Amino acid sequence: MDKKILALSEEGDVDSLTKLLKTLGPNQLEEFIDVRVLRGKGNPTTFLRAVFHGSPCETAEGAAVRVGVYKYVLELLEGGDVSSKMGSELLGFLLMEVEFLPPSAVVELAQVFVDAVKNGNVTNTKSLDLFSKLLSSLASRETVSYGNGNQMTGAECKSHILNSLCSSRWDSSCVIHLAAVFRDVPTTNDELKFVMEKILRSFRHVDLQELPPLVYQLLLLSTKGFKRLVLEGITSYFAEQDQAIKLQESEQSEDMLSTLTADQLCHMEGTIILHITFAIKQDQDLGREFVKFLKAGQQGSLTKILSPFNVALALSVARIQRFEEPIFEFLKSAISRSFKDEQIRQGSKWVTEMVPESSNVTESLLETVKNSSYGWDHVTQGLVQLGFSLMDSFGPKLGPAGRVVEPSGGTPKSPTQLACSLGAQILVNTFKVHEMVRSDILEQILNRVVTKATSPVTHYIELLSNTVSTVPQTLLECLPKVRDSFDYLSYLPAASAEGLLKAVQPLLKLSMPLKDTLMLVLRKAMFSRQADARKVAVTGFLMILRHFKVLGGLPCSQSCSQSFSFSQIQVDIHTPPSSAGNEALCLEILGNLRRCLTQQADVRLLLYEGMYDVLGRNPHLGPPILEMLLSQFRRYYEAEDDVTPPLQLDPCITAQGDQVFLVEPLGHLLCSMVQCLLKCQQLASESEEPEDDEALTAIQSELGAVLESLTRRMIKCEMEDFELDKSADFSMNSGVGVKNNIFGILVLGLYEVLMEHTCMSADFSKESCEQLLQLFLNYNKLAETMKEKSVKGKSGGAKVARSLLTIRCTAKILQGLFSDDVPQHQEGLSVLRENLDLVRFIVSVAQQKIQQVCDKGHTDGSEGSNKDKLYKYCCNMARVLLRKFTSDLQAHGEDGRRSKGKAVSAMCLEGFCTIVNIICSRYPDQVAAFLTQIEPGGDDDEEEEEAVTNMDDQERVNFHIKRFQRMVVNVVTSSDDDVSPRDAVQLVNVISLLSRHLPPDSDHLIQLHAWVNRLCAEQNLDDSGMTKALLSLLFSLTAQTSTSLTILRDLAQDVHSQMGDIDQDVEVEDQTQFALVTPRTAPPVLALVLGQVDRVLEEVDWVIGKMKAELSGGSAAAEDAPSQGPTQREGHEKSVCVRLGTLVTVYHELVQSAIPMGASVEALLKSLVKLYNNLTLLAKYYLAMYSQRVGHLSPRFEKLVKLSGTHLSQQAYALITYIQAAQNEKLAQRDQQKGKGGKKKDKTSSDAVGQARKAQVLRETKSIPVLVFAIEQYERYLIQLTKKSKVNLMEHMKMSTSRDFRINTAAVQMALQEEEESSSEEEKEGSDHGSDGEADEQENRGPPAKKAKTAAGKLSKGKGAKAKKGLAESND
């Protein structure tokens, strides 16, 4: 039978073939197909072609046969028994025949596929190609019958089928192929969006290995449209997966059903990033859409848009040159903005409540670096570029006078500094993870250090140091680059060179060739013509001496007489470090450093200051170092005991022409000798095994004898011995004066060093204390003489800028003066305590040292750079200074507290306050330990001391805050004239610093806020400094503990009450809620209130911006939580409106206050502009809401608009009138004075003065047009909002009066009265007056003009006074 069918088909006998096919039984045709398809007996496509030949589509029977054949072949394909080759042939044939099928058959076959997908029966996904052909064919049919015989177009029918298909659940195995199907199907935009959303939703159900190909198909599908939707869907899915994995790892739960691990996810993300990047290379529109997507996301949640996957994708796309710049600009701005947002969020409780989600993106970016280890090579280079881009853009910049502005140690970093720090973290982590970029990173760091000579490179040096200290071994692979950078050492600024040497120092011990190279470079630099190069050489040599220890003593004679050549050490450098090698190296370096002793003073100074640290790190170098210093000192020392003065100062200077220069910093040389001697003695006393080193003992005894003789003779010396008597010239204008100044500074330094030696070598014995006092008296006598003789206070000797006393000695003497209770010391210390000048000098030196630590993190002298020692000395000095201040406070006016100059107790308190600042900023983790150190001790306080010991850190901070609160109250309430309000200011500053270490939500902070509030309300201090300190603390605490603005409103009322009203006829009630607001303190209070109001306005502006971003990008969020969205948004709107309403009431009081002309008025006008800008922004927010049809006006906003119209706008216009009237009056008075002056001044000078006055007026009133514009912009958007919302928001707004022409009703009425009373001639004159400017009116009419001005300022007060506004004037 089947052969007959084939034969008839070949003959072309269609009729016979049709009749034959009708005679076949129901399953016969299927059997014939089976024989050919499954058993391979014959060509199936030839047979099917014959069957279709005899089944014309025009007849229902023929169509039915064809449909039956399609269905059966599809069943065979789904069965899986058909070979792929055979299946392809069959599908190819069926695809060609689709166009001939009638519409009903196409619909029926399409429905077969839909049912198969719904039931999950699609096993041979190849057959889905037929489905796409069927849908395409269906779309081209004009009319089809679908469902219950409904007639519709083919496109409508196709839409119904797609809707049915996408509404069903898809089996995960066929999702990819279904996605491919839709690529070939013509779809409308709505259909395409529906399909894409369905595919994106199916991500969660697809197997892990199927996701990359599915994303690829989706990207291909996006060429038809909706690129943003695809990108949003992919990125949001992987952001969710990252969060889920993070949660899974944090919980470490083993029974979680998720089979996805972090490794698998990262590998899969890497593949998908490659797919997307490849797609963007092929389709630039997709890349542009991606950049737009990133920038749009920046307005919303930055943590979402900067998720690890998004950052990695952005960095990968940035490799395409066209998108590099926009993507890196976006990343930099988003990172910077995230830190700024976090700063705003943490600074205010109200903002935290409004936006509880943190916007810190550091974790996300570092997570990207971590994930990139899973083969993301396409991201690695982008990470390096991003890290350096952040450091270049946000690194430290040069401040005024070319100085680098360095933040103090642990202060809260600014957003810029945090962004720079993040860049460094990214680079360090990338360096650890990726071997391929290590060389590149190191090269870029070194290039920047070497080439950026004019800009700060401290952050790059810090990065290099972190990299070296973290992974020194891995850096050994990149040593050639480090070696190359050494060639530029001598050309670098001293600070950069020193930083570079310190950073690479750990590598020197790991690589002998590197040390060899550095030694050669330093030796070459030592012979350089440039002084800076020689300084670098000294710094480098000292660093090597510190870090290459010598084990065992060095014979002094060997170190002095034998000179090692560098070639002798070559052998040791190429072997691992040994004691013998280090010994030879150190002796060679000391030989090189001797050369410094004949060079400039700056080079010698570096050497002297560095010797103490070398000796501390390398004790066995003691003999050669002491010998070198002593031999240098002997050049200036007179060994004979009876010779005075004991030192020759003339060789310490040199003259070049008329100029005199210092050659030998003798004080620093002596200081270095003393410090090294003390260090050797300390090391000997600490050593458990006494060393029998004759050379060291001999040189110590010799040095001791020299210092003893020097001390004795310097005490006997008079100023005349150094030719520095009162008749000497100390002016800086002559060579003699400069020489005398240099000699004076040298002698002062020598006295200080000898004072330190006397103090440190003896333990406050009576003899040593008397010696110390005598040295100080000589020092003080010379210092006072230099101060008196300095011409106009410009002499270099007028004040000792940097004391040579070390912080260690200063702390010891301070403790002896104020808190030493040891009985054996009292006789000697009483000698020192009786001299108030000495006490004041020691406290001032302590202040100087403390201030240096506060500013730079280190101080001059030995141990000045050791952070641990500095902390210890700061704790000791803080305890002593506080004890002195509290004892003086209790004594109330101890004798001599206020002799000449500042009180000692005030200086002590100032020093203590600076130390607290140091601890809080540079040692923030040790604040509690510091407070433990300064706790009051004593036998009477044993119970209290035990209670204090058991406190936790927070309670301890609070305990000390209460202690300082009691001191503030004692100072404020004291009637003693000796108690200065400045003391209270310092104590308030201490409280402010400590309060930052209390959690924002703690009860202690709330109690402190209540105390400050009560103090401000009850105490009439009448001191502007104290007022500023208290109010600043009050505002800071209010922002942390409360969301209310009532304090600002009350203060504004008080300012209005104390300053009076702009309308002189209105009497303001003289009553204040805060007693500290007085007529004297009102101006600074106004400035502080305006500053705080501006901060609040910035917060409101930021929150409105966030609300607007959520509104515009809130469609997805609304789908996730449709019920919560509007409610939360309405809550935010209400909160913003309430806050702005309170600010309106604050301004209502301020604009009516009679503020003196000048900076205060300018600040108020600028602040008003900010308020109106905020109100305008809120109006725009509601306009956007109406445009997007997602909400309506809040009743609170309507009340806010009404309040701004009734309580602010009109008063603001009255303020403008008042300001301009005052300015015109001032000009008129000046013109009158000029007229009285007659013709004494020439015309040119008078014109110049007139121009200057006009310029001043213009400068003082330039904010007025800006304010008027801001008000009118606000009203403009209110008009637009009125039309949109159908609510009349302009009901309480009145027309602007601050225009070129204003009518003053009071002046008009006055003119009318005069018109009735005067004659016709006078009427004419009066009308002329009415049209003149205000200045002429005031000048000619006198008192009536004054009345007009006061009437112009009358405002609605709420206290019963009402007045009309405006001013009759025509502005030229």
Side-chain angles (χ1 to χ4, degrees):
M1 180 69 75
D2 53 346
K3 291 178 181 177
K4 192 173 181 181
I5 292 171
L6 288 170
L8 288 172
S9 175
E10 286 175 8
E11 294 169 4
D13 190 352
V14 178
D15 295 338
S16 304
L17 185 56
T18 303
K19 290 175 184 176
L20 181 61
L21 288 173
K22 286 180 181 177
T23 61
L24 293 177
N27 299 324
Q28 263 187 301
L29 196 56
E30 295 173 3
E31 288 174 6
F32 294 150
I33 296 172
D34 278 349
V35 168
R36 283 165 175 74
V37 173
L38 299 179
R39 298 176 193 169
K41 294 180 179 179
N43 190 338
T45 53
T46 308
F47 178 71
L48 290 179
R49 189 176 287 109
V51 172
F52 282 11
H53 198 194
S55 308
C57 296
E58 292 78 13
T59 63
E61 296 84 355
V65 169
R66 290 196 176 207
V67 170
V69 170
Y70 268 92
K71 288 182 178 178
Y72 186 66
V73 171
L74 288 174
E75 281 181 25
L76 289 177
L77 292 173
E78 291 297 331
D81 297 329
V82 183
S83 67
S84 58
K85 183 179 178 183
M86 180 77 71
S88 297
E89 289 179 5
L90 289 170
L91 277 174
F93 171 73
L94 295 178
L95 283 169
M96 288 188 293
E97 294 295 327
V98 167
E99 291 300 331
F100 305 110
L101 291 173
S104 58
V106 176
V107 171
E108 187 178 349
L109 289 174
Q111 197 59 47
V112 169
F113 279 98
V114 173
D115 294 340
V117 171
K118 284 183 177 180
N119 299 327
N121 296 333
V122 181
T123 53
N124 187 348
T125 51
K126 189 79 176 164
S127 61
L128 288 172
D129 293 345
L130 182 59
F131 184 41
S132 67
K133 181 67 175 176
L134 289 168
L135 290 175
S136 301
S137 175
L138 189 60
S140 63
R141 307 299 171 99
E142 292 183 2
T143 309
V144 294
S145 176
Y146 181 73
N148 300 323
N150 298 325
Q151 294 294 320
M152 59 184 73
T153 64
E156 290 173 347
C157 181
K158 177 205 66 179
S159 184
H160 279 289
I161 291 173
L162 286 178
N163 189 32
S164 172
L165 180 67
C166 293
S167 301
S168 61
R169 183 182 179 82
W170 295 354
D171 188 75
S172 59
S173 60
C174 67
V175 173
I176 298 171
H177 299 280
L178 283 170
V181 164
F182 295 117
R183 280 172 50 203
D184 303 324
V185 178
T187 53
T188 63
N189 282 340
D190 289 342
E191 291 166 358
L192 183 62
K193 184 179 179 183
F194 192 44
V195 166
M196 284 182 166
E197 287 173 346
K198 173 64 179 177
I199 297 172
L200 288 169
R201 285 198 300 272
S202 65
F203 274 18
R204 292 166 178 77
H205 312 296
V206 175
D207 292 339
L208 188 63
Q209 62 272 20
E210 298 291 336
L211 262 177
L214 177 57
V215 168
Y216 182 70
Q217 292 297 334
L218 196 54
L219 290 169
L220 291 175
L221 186 59
S222 72
T223 55
K224 300 172 73 172
F226 294 102
K227 295 178 173 62
R228 172 77 69 88
L229 179 66
V230 171
L231 291 169
E232 284 178 357
I234 294 171
T235 52
S236 62
Y237 170 75
F238 285 108
E240 289 172 18
Q241 293 303 309
D242 285 334
Q243 284 297 111
I245 288 292
K246 199 179 294 181
L247 190 64
Q248 184 178 335
E249 288 177 348
S250 63
E251 292 178 353
Q252 296 179 343
S253 173
E254 296 180 359
D255 17 302
M256 290 190 74
L257 300 175
S258 172
T259 57
L260 190 63
T261 65
D263 293 2
Q264 292 171 325
L265 181 64
C266 288
H267 282 298
M268 179 181 64
E269 286 178 347
T271 309
I272 285 169
I273 289 170
L274 276 176
H275 280 320
I276 298 175
T277 309
F278 179 73
I280 288 175
K281 284 179 181 175
Q282 306 304 314
D283 181 7
Q284 298 285 318
D285 289 340
L286 183 62
R288 281 191 287 271
E289 205 60 49
F290 178 63
V291 173
K292 286 180 189 174
F293 159 67
L294 291 177
K295 289 181 178 176
Q298 188 180 356
Q299 305 303 319
S301 172
L302 286 166
T303 46
K304 289 180 182 176
I305 201 65
L306 288 181
S307 66
F309 178 80
N310 284 6
V311 173
L313 177 57
L315 292 174
S316 182
V317 173
R319 294 174 71 197
I320 304 169
Q321 188 175 2
R322 184 170 185 175
F323 300 110
E324 180 180 352
E325 186 178 344
I327 283 179
F328 278 111
E329 284 302 317
F330 157 75
L331 287 172
K332 284 192 294 186
S333 66
I335 289 167
S336 174
R337 181 171 176 173
S338 78
F339 288 123
K340 288 176 184 172
D341 288 358
E342 189 63 16
Q343 189 181 48
I344 292 172
R345 206 183 67 82
Q346 291 179 349
S348 165
K349 184 179 180 181
W350 179 73
V351 177
T352 309
E353 288 180 359
M354 295 289 283
V355 186
E357 180 189 359
S358 170
S359 61
N360 196 337
V361 295
T362 303
E363 192 177 346
S364 292
L365 285 150
L366 296 180
E367 188 76 20
T368 306
V369 179
K370 178 184 165 189
N371 293 347
S372 68
S373 60
Y374 294 97
W376 295 7
D377 294 346
H378 46 283
V379 175
T380 311
Q381 199 58 48
L383 285 169
V384 175
Q385 194 173 344
L386 175 63
F388 279 113
S389 183
L390 288 173
M391 293 190 75
D392 292 341
S393 301
F394 301 114
K397 300 290 186 288
L398 287 177
R403 295 180 181 177
V404 182
V405 182
E406 292 183 0
S408 54
T411 51
K413 290 185 176 179
S414 69
T416 305
Q417 291 158 359
L418 289 169
C420 178
S421 175
L422 175 59
Q425 285 178 274
I426 289 171
L427 289 169
V428 170
N429 290 10
T430 307
F431 190 93
K432 291 181 193 174
V433 172
H434 295 286
E435 186 178 349
M436 59 183 280
V437 293
R438 283 176 188 162
S439 176
D440 184 30
I441 291 175
L442 185 62
E443 184 176 5
Q444 289 202 50
I445 295 173
L446 293 172
N447 284 348
R448 281 166 168 79
V449 171
V450 168
T451 58
K452 290 182 179 288
T454 56
S455 55
V457 291
T458 49
H459 51 310
Y460 296 116
I461 289 173
E462 191 177 343
L463 169 63
L464 179 62
S465 179
N466 289 342
T467 310
V468 171
S469 59
T470 310
V471 278
Q473 295 291 345
T474 55
L475 265 170
L476 291 177
E477 305 159 11
C478 313
L479 278 185
K481 297 189 183 302
V482 180
R483 201 178 297 125
D484 291 344
S485 68
F486 285 164
D487 293 338
Y488 301 95
L489 263 181
S490 55
Y491 304 105
L492 293 180
S496 301
E498 184 180 355
L500 179 59
L501 289 171
K502 285 182 180 176
V504 300
Q505 179 270 321
L507 297 177
L508 299 178
K509 291 187 177 180
L510 298 175
S511 169
M512 296 301 111
L514 186 66
K515 184 174 72 175
D516 185 355
T517 305
L518 179 61
M519 287 290 296
L520 285 168
V521 169
L522 294 178
R523 218 173 156 194
K524 182 180 175 184
M526 186 63 82
F527 290 89
S528 171
R529 290 182 179 181
Q530 303 297 325
D532 286 345
R534 294 198 289 275
K535 288 183 188 178
V536 170
V538 173
T539 305
F541 280 138
L542 289 172
M543 184 198 72
I544 296 173
L545 284 177
R546 284 197 299 270
H547 290 96
F548 286 83
K549 289 191 176 181
V550 176
L551 304 175
L554 290 177
C556 185
S557 57
Q558 179 190 23
S559 63
C560 301
S561 61
Q562 188 174 359
S563 175
F564 279 77
S565 68
F566 188 63
S567 58
Q568 287 178 278
I569 330 172
Q570 295 281 10
V571 180
D572 296 321
I573 282 186
H574 292 285
T575 59
S578 65
S579 176
N582 287 348
E583 178 182 327
L585 178 68
C586 291
L587 287 176
E588 165 68 14
I589 290 173
L590 284 174
N592 282 327
L593 288 175
R594 281 178 176 275
R595 184 175 301 279
C596 300
L597 300 177
T598 59
Q599 295 186 2
Q600 289 97 330
D602 289 350
V603 182
R604 300 187 196 191
L605 192 61
L606 268 180
L607 176 63
Y608 299 153
E609 289 179 343
M611 280 303 172
Y612 178 84
D613 285 339
V614 169
L615 196 57
R617 296 281 192 91
N618 215 340
H620 292 290
L621 293 178
I625 287 176
L626 287 176
E627 174 61 32
M628 181 172 75
L629 294 173
L630 184 56
S631 65
Q632 178 72 3
F633 187 70
R634 284 197 191 102
R635 296 182 182 182
Y636 313 99
Y637 177 64
E638 298 284 359
E640 299 295 330
D641 273 357
D642 54 351
V643 177
T644 55
L647 293 166
Q648 301 173 26
L649 297 185
D650 288 330
C652 295
I653 61 171
T654 184
Q656 291 180 2
D658 295 337
Q659 293 183 320
V660 181
F661 297 100
L662 176 68
V663 175
E664 180 65 74
L666 196 57
H668 290 85
L669 170 59
L670 182 61
C671 182
S672 182
M673 282 171 49
V674 168
Q675 295 303 324
C676 290
L677 176 63
L678 292 172
K679 188 67 181 178
C680 287
Q681 293 170 348
Q682 178 192 346
L683 292 169
S685 64
E686 290 174 357
S687 176
E688 297 177 358
E689 299 177 2
E691 294 185 9
D692 187 16
D693 191 339
E694 294 179 4
L696 182 61
T697 308
I699 197 166
Q700 281 185 5
S701 60
E702 183 181 355
L703 195 51
V706 166
L707 289 170
E708 186 180 342
S709 170
L710 183 62
T711 305
R712 193 171 57 252
R713 286 192 280 167
M714 285 294 285
I715 289 173
K716 293 178 182 176
C717 278
E718 297 291 336
M719 287 197 300
E720 290 77 5
D721 295 329
F722 293 105
E723 299 178 3
L724 296 174
D725 55 5
K726 290 189 177 182
S727 62
D729 176 19
F730 287 98
S731 71
M732 297 299 287
N733 301 325
S734 63
V736 176
V738 172
K739 185 186 86 166
N740 288 339
N741 264 298
I742 293 174
F743 282 175
I745 292 171
L746 286 177
V747 175
L748 290 176
L750 292 169
Y751 278 130
E752 285 184 322
V753 174
L754 293 174
M755 284 162 63
E756 173 152 0
H757 175 252
T758 306
C759 171
M760 300 303 291
S761 57
D763 199 14
F764 291 124
S765 65
K766 183 178 180 183
E767 183 184 355
S768 67
C769 288
E770 287 173 350
Q771 274 191 336
L772 194 152
L773 181 60
Q774 285 300 319
L775 287 166
F776 170 73
L777 291 173
N778 288 1
Y779 169 92
N780 198 41
K781 186 178 179 183
L782 176 57
E784 289 295 324
T785 302
M786 293 176 70
K787 194 178 295 185
E788 289 170 12
K789 296 289 288 183
S790 62
V791 179
K792 298 180 182 178
K794 293 182 180 178
S795 168
K799 60 175 183 178
V800 182
R802 296 163 66 179
S803 171
L804 289 186
L805 289 177
T806 62
I807 192 169
R808 175 180 52 174
C809 173
T810 309
K812 181 177 179 181
I813 299 178
L814 208 59
Q815 187 170 356
L817 289 174
F818 296 144
S819 67
D820 193 329
D821 299 327
V822 180
Q824 295 87 339
H825 298 168
Q826 298 311 305
E827 186 178 3
L829 286 172
S830 63
V831 175
L832 301 180
R833 288 169 182 162
E834 287 170 1
N835 190 302
L836 280 175
D837 287 333
L838 173 63
V839 174
R840 191 185 304 279
F841 168 73
I842 294 299
V843 175
S844 65
V845 171
Q847 275 186 315
Q848 184 191 94
K849 300 292 179 186
I850 293 164
Q851 194 60 47
Q852 284 179 345
V853 177
C854 185
D855 294 340
K856 301 184 291 186
H858 58 85
T859 183
D860 300 325
S862 58
E863 299 182 344
S865 301
N866 187 325
K867 285 195 74 172
D868 296 334
K869 290 281 180 70
L870 285 179
Y871 172 75
K872 174 187 164 189
Y873 295 138
C874 282
C875 289
N876 292 344
M877 287 195 287
R879 182 173 61 251
V880 172
L881 293 171
L882 185 61
R883 178 172 175 176
K884 169 66 176 170
F885 174 74
T886 49
S887 63
D888 281 1
L889 189 62
Q890 292 163 1
H892 282 303
E894 179 185 342
D895 291 339
R897 273 191 69 217
R898 269 198 190 277
S899 58
K900 57 180 179 177
K902 192 187 291 185
V904 171
S905 65
M907 295 168 67
C908 290
L909 181 59
E910 197 174 318
F912 173 76
C913 184
T914 310
I915 292 176
V916 174
N917 190 11
I918 292 169
I919 301 298
C920 291
S921 62
R922 296 186 179 274
Y923 303 89
D925 299 332
Q926 300 182 38
V927 170
F930 165 74
L931 294 175
T932 308
Q933 297 256 358
I934 64 166
E935 276 160 10
D939 300 333
D940 302 333
D941 302 331
E942 289 182 7
E943 293 182 7
E944 184 182 354
E945 192 175 340
E946 186 177 349
V948 169
T949 310
N950 299 326
M951 290 178 181
D952 63 13
D953 289 354
Q954 188 177 331
E955 289 174 344
R956 177 166 279 108
V957 172
N958 184 55
F959 169 78
H960 283 274
I961 286 176
K962 288 188 174 177
R963 181 183 171 194
F964 293 120
Q965 285 175 239
R966 289 193 291 271
M967 289 187 196
V968 171
V969 173
N970 288 343
V971 171
V972 168
T973 56
S974 172
S975 57
D976 191 348
D977 293 339
D978 283 339
V979 178
S980 164
R982 181 161 175 74
D983 295 348
V985 174
Q986 298 286 358
L987 289 168
V988 170
N989 289 338
V990 170
I991 292 172
S992 177
L993 288 166
L994 292 178
S995 68
R996 295 172 193 169
H997 294 269
L998 291 174
D1001 53 349
S1002 69
D1003 293 338
H1004 301 316
L1005 207 60
I1006 295 169
Q1007 292 168 9
L1008 176 61
H1009 175 252
W1011 175 81
V1012 177
N1013 196 8
R1014 192 167 60 250
L1015 193 65
C1016 292
E1018 296 173 359
Q1019 293 295 331
N1020 181 356
L1021 303 168
D1022 206 28
D1023 179 79
S1024 58
M1026 186 62 183
T1027 301
K1028 288 178 183 177
L1030 275 175
L1031 280 184
S1032 298
L1033 178 58
L1034 179 62
F1035 290 152
S1036 170
L1037 294 173
T1038 304
Q1040 294 178 63
T1041 58
S1042 169
T1043 59
S1044 170
L1045 297 177
T1046 52
I1047 288 175
L1048 283 174
R1049 187 186 62 206
D1050 294 345
L1051 282 168
Q1053 289 175 355
D1054 292 351
V1055 168
H1056 187 192
S1057 167
Q1058 295 302 313
M1059 284 188 163
D1061 199 272
I1062 59 175
D1063 185 350
Q1064 296 177 1
D1065 292 348
V1066 173
E1067 290 185 10
V1068 187
E1069 190 176 350
D1070 188 11
Q1071 183 178 354
T1072 58
Q1073 288 97 325
F1074 288 92
L1076 90 170
V1077 183
T1078 63
R1080 182 182 171 190
T1081 61
V1085 169
L1086 171 65
L1088 285 168
V1089 168
L1090 287 176
Q1092 184 63 19
V1093 165
D1094 285 351
R1095 280 190 286 275
V1096 174
L1097 285 172
E1098 285 174 11
E1099 292 168 4
V1100 173
D1101 189 322
W1102 185 80
V1103 169
I1104 295 174
K1106 285 286 179 187
M1107 287 164 53
K1108 199 168 182 182
E1110 287 172 10
L1111 194 67
S1112 56
S1115 54
E1119 287 176 14
D1120 296 339
S1123 58
Q1124 294 179 2
T1127 311
Q1128 186 183 26
R1129 189 174 68 232
E1130 286 166 9
H1132 287 174
E1133 291 168 13
K1134 177 182 175 183
S1135 181
V1136 168
C1137 291
V1138 168
R1139 207 162 183 78
L1140 284 173
T1142 310
L1143 289 178
V1144 168
T1145 60
V1146 171
Y1147 283 105
H1148 173 70
E1149 297 291 339
L1150 294 181
V1151 296
Q1152 297 178 97
S1153 305
I1155 302 169
M1157 290 296 120
S1160 298
V1161 168
E1162 185 73 11
L1164 177 58
L1165 291 174
K1166 287 181 178 177
S1167 191
L1168 265 173
V1169 170
K1170 290 180 184 176
L1171 174 71
Y1172 276 106
N1173 288 343
N1174 269 266
L1175 292 170
T1176 306
L1177 194 65
L1178 190 58
K1180 287 181 180 178
Y1181 166 78
Y1182 280 108
L1183 275 173
M1185 189 183 289
Y1186 275 101
S1187 300
Q1188 297 174 29
R1189 299 179 181 177
V1190 290
H1192 51 80
L1193 274 186
S1194 159
R1196 288 275 180 181
F1197 180 70
E1198 295 178 37
K1199 291 181 181 177
L1200 174 63
V1201 172
K1202 178 182 177 182
L1203 190 68
S1204 67
T1206 57
H1207 279 65
L1208 189 58
S1209 291
Q1210 298 307 310
Q1211 287 81 349
Y1213 284 128
L1215 174 67
I1216 293 171
T1217 305
Y1218 165 72
I1219 293 168
Q1220 293 182 333
Q1223 292 290 355
N1224 289 335
E1225 186 176 3
K1226 190 187 296 184
L1227 281 175
Q1229 289 173 356
R1230 286 176 178 173
D1231 289 342
Q1232 286 178 357
Q1233 290 172 1
K1234 185 174 71 173
K1236 290 175 184 177
K1239 298 181 179 179
K1240 291 181 181 179
K1241 296 181 181 178
D1242 62 348
K1243 186 178 179 182
T1244 309
S1245 63
S1246 63
D1247 287 346
V1249 171
Q1251 291 295 330
R1253 288 171 181 169
K1254 286 180 181 177
Q1256 183 184 358
V1257 171
L1258 287 172
R1259 190 167 56 250
E1260 290 178 354
T1261 58
K1262 65 181 179 182
S1263 295
I1264 291 176
V1266 181
L1267 174 58
V1268 173
F1269 178 75
I1271 296 173
E1272 294 185 350
Q1273 282 293 100
Y1274 171 51
E1275 293 173 354
R1276 170 194 164 192
Y1277 285 104
L1278 285 184
I1279 292 168
Q1280 292 181 21
L1281 198 52
T1282 298
K1283 293 176 182 176
K1284 292 266 188 184
S1285 63
K1286 312 301 181 198
V1287 176
N1288 184 10
L1289 298 173
M1290 295 299 293
E1291 181 182 357
H1292 301 283
M1293 295 288 171
K1294 294 184 180 178
M1295 187 176 294
S1296 162
T1297 56
S1298 287
R1299 277 302 178 201
D1300 288 343
F1301 182 80
R1302 295 191 289 273
I1303 298 175
N1304 182 341
T1305 52
V1308 171
Q1309 287 175 1
M1310 199 180 307
L1312 290 172
Q1313 287 175 6
E1314 289 182 358
E1315 187 179 0
E1316 291 173 1
E1317 296 171 359
S1318 7
S1319 64
S1320 59
E1321 188 177 336
E1322 290 171 339
E1323 282 175 17
K1324 185 178 179 182
E1325 187 180 345
S1327 64
D1328 289 339
H1329 269 298
S1331 62
D1332 283 344
E1334 183 189 0
D1336 295 333
E1337 185 177 319
Q1338 287 176 347
E1339 189 175 356
N1340 297 330
R1341 292 170 61 180
K1346 181 80 172 177
K1347 187 72 176 174
K1349 185 195 75 137
T1350 55
K1354 288 185 181 179
L1355 307 171
S1356 166
K1357 292 291 164 197
K1359 295 184 175 71
K1362 293 185 178 179
K1364 296 180 181 179
K1365 59 185 288 302
L1367 180 69
E1369 73 170 341
S1370 177
N1371 291 340
D1372 295 329

